Amino acid sequence: MLNHSEHSSFREKLVEHLFIGELLKLSWKEFGCTLEVASPEVDNAGYDLIAEDNGVVRHIQLKASYVGGKTASQKVHTRLSEKPSGCVIWIYFNEDTLELGPFLFFGSLPGEKLPSLDGLKVAKHTKGDQGGFKAERPNIRVLPKGWFKNFSSIDEVYEALFGATCYKAATTKPGEKAQ
């Protein structure tokens, strides 16, 4: 097994692609291949993915930690709150198998803005300058793990992202109205 910290950017992209694959697989199996996914060319607003289904556009910031990791918070860009249905998904993965889950979700209902980040601690740079001073990062907030909702399956994440109507529409027979 490669050292996770030595290859962290590789691991980050791998977890992102595995996550997208799980969402696409669920869309394929349950929702008629209706999910659309895009990535921003420039990362200056705090999101890694744009996903759309059921008329809901989500700007998603992804975070990853291995199962059993001690990380107690994540850094979130304040501009994410300007995006429609912005949210943060913290993906846990098994270090050996790379199996995904559980998933932590910070966001609102589909179509609603990100909950307020007001009052959260302003993040600091991880590395200090020559004198060891770590400057604040004014657009980044420290989001405690306790603010996230816990999901055990990708199905629950999909519903949190796009709403229960995806499930109702997918199970409705032709000519029936979704409940």
Side-chain angles (χ1 to χ4, degrees):
M1 176 60 61
L2 297 173
N3 182 325
H4 282 271
S5 61
E6 183 180 342
H7 300 283
S8 60
S9 359
F10 186 97
R11 184 191 76 187
E12 180 182 320
K13 271 303 187 190
L14 175 59
V15 170
E16 178 180 322
H17 285 283
L18 291 171
F19 176 71
I20 293 169
E22 289 298 314
L23 291 176
L24 289 170
K25 183 167 60 172
L26 187 58
S27 180
W28 173 275
K29 290 170 55 179
E30 302 293 332
F31 308 121
C33 304
T34 55
L35 178 66
E36 296 181 26
V37 179
S39 296
E41 193 69 29
V42 178
D43 179 11
N44 69 348
Y47 59 91
D48 302 295
L49 297 174
I50 304 164
E52 188 270 329
D53 197 0
N54 194 33
V56 177
V57 176
R58 286 284 193 175
H59 289 74
I60 305 169
Q61 184 175 25
L62 294 175
K63 301 292 185 178
S65 295
Y66 61 89
V67 173
K70 304 285 186 223
T71 305
S73 62
Q74 290 292 348
K75 295 176 181 167
V76 177
H77 201 294
T78 57
R79 288 194 52 208
L80 186 60
S81 62
E82 299 170 7
K83 300 297 178 188
S85 297
C87 63
V88 182
I89 299 177
W90 189 348
I91 303 166
Y92 277 88
F93 64 92
N94 180 297
E95 277 188 287
D96 297 322
T97 65
L98 296 176
E99 182 178 340
L100 303 182
F103 307 88
L104 301 182
F105 176 84
F106 178 74
S108 294
L109 293 172
E112 295 181 10
K113 295 263 187 192
L114 187 73
S116 175
L117 301 174
D118 292 344
L120 290 174
K121 181 179 168 185
V122 176
K124 292 188 175 192
H125 286 276
T126 53
K127 296 180 182 176
D129 63 13
Q130 293 175 342
F133 176 73
K134 296 180 180 181
E136 287 190 341
R137 300 174 69 191
N139 295 324
I140 308 294
R141 298 294 180 270
V142 179
L143 186 61
K145 189 175 191 176
W147 285 37
F148 287 81
K149 185 171 183 177
N150 194 339
F151 295 122
S152 59
S153 72
I154 198 71
D155 299 65
E156 293 173 306
V157 173
Y158 207 99
E159 184 173 340
L161 289 171
F162 306 113
T165 55
C166 280
Y167 290 96
K168 292 174 185 170
T171 59
T172 302
K173 295 177 185 169
E176 285 185 342
K177 275 190 164 181
Q179 301 279 339

